[in-house]
Amino acid sequence: MAEREIDHGSPTPVYRQIAALIIADIENGTLAVNRSVPSELALTQRFGVARATVRNAVRFLREEGYAYTVPHRGTYVKDRTSGTESGTD
Amino acid sequence: MAEREIDHGSPTPVYRQIAALIIADIENGTLAVNRSVPSELALTQRFGVARATVRNAVRFLREEGYAYTVPHRGTYVKDRTSGTESGTD
DNA sequence: CATCATTTGTTCGTATGTATC
DNA sequence: CGATACATACGAACAAATGAT
């Protein structure tokens, strides 16, 4: 999982930087499909940011189709390889 | 609850327009006493404005005696019928 | 079935930076 | 310059669902 390379001085919002790092891990397979994506708490500790910022990043991941969230369970990497909309299993 | 009739071109500040719409709902009973007043998030979505603007509107409602806010709980319609300042119940 | 830890959901409080009028 | 408005970010508190024990 990506280290902490957050630049608070960058014009790029922190939540976008975090999202980009997670997406990179998804792209290179560090984060497997239907698994992972650390919890919000884990991400706040990993990147040293507020939970609201982490949630913003995760929301972005969902909007971009990289992940899906199961309420009170966690957020998982979405399978973007299958052409058919079967998703679940 | 009021639709979205915000006019960004109007000389009347957006936060005042929103406050007026909420007040109208209080006046006509759409928003019951000691209940409602949508959350800040709900209001930002409903009117398509920034949270800061919504908070400005809610602050105005408080100042005008139309509502009271319980930290981390929500904002409620104040009972303006009772003459005595009992507020609670 | 009850309890507990984990995790996301929700809500308000506060601050900063930028832009516009 | 001040009021207004948007976007971002951190802080704090509590609610609710889930799963393990």
Side-chain angles (χ1 to χ4, degrees):
Chain A
M1 182 55 198
E3 296 310 309
R4 82 173 58 173
E5 340 184 42
I6 302 304
D7 178 8
H8 285 265
S10 168
T12 301
V14 175
Y15 82 92
R16 293 283 276 97
Q17 291 181 50
I18 292 177
L21 290 172
I22 297 176
I23 288 174
D25 286 338
I26 292 176
E27 303 274 280
N28 65 35
T30 299
L31 289 181
V33 171
N34 284 318
R35 287 254 59 188
S36 346
V37 180
S39 70
E40 293 174 357
L41 176 62
L43 291 175
T44 63
Q45 298 171 335
R46 181 110 55 198
F47 296 109
V49 300
R51 192 183 159 207
T53 302
V54 159
R55 280 179 67 77
N56 220 336
V58 173
R59 176 176 54 70
F60 184 77
L61 291 181
R62 278 195 300 270
E63 292 175 348
E64 293 295 309
Y66 284 98
Y68 60 96
T69 296
V70 179
H72 307 111
R73 281 290 295 153
T75 295
Y76 306 85
V77 177
K78 185 182 291 185
D79 186 352
R80 290 149 35 256
T81 62
S82 47
T84 36
E85 259 304 304
S86 307
T88 333
D89 228 86
Chain B
M1 180 58 195
E3 294 311 309
R4 82 170 60 171
E5 341 184 42
I6 302 303
D7 178 9
H8 284 266
S10 167
T12 301
V14 174
Y15 83 90
R16 294 283 275 99
Q17 291 181 50
I18 292 177
L21 290 172
I22 297 176
I23 288 174
D25 286 338
I26 292 177
E27 302 274 279
N28 66 34
T30 299
L31 290 181
V33 171
N34 284 316
R35 289 255 58 187
S36 1
V37 178
S39 69
E40 293 175 356
L41 177 61
L43 290 175
T44 63
Q45 298 173 333
R46 182 110 56 197
F47 296 109
V49 300
R51 194 184 155 207
T53 302
V54 157
R55 279 184 64 77
N56 223 334
V58 173
R59 176 175 55 70
F60 184 77
L61 291 181
R62 279 195 299 269
E63 292 174 347
E64 293 294 309
Y66 283 98
Y68 61 96
T69 298
V70 180
H72 308 117
R73 279 272 133 26
T75 295
Y76 306 85
V77 177
K78 187 182 290 185
D79 186 351
R80 290 150 35 256
T81 62
S82 45
T84 37
E85 257 305 303
S86 306
T88 335
D89 226 83

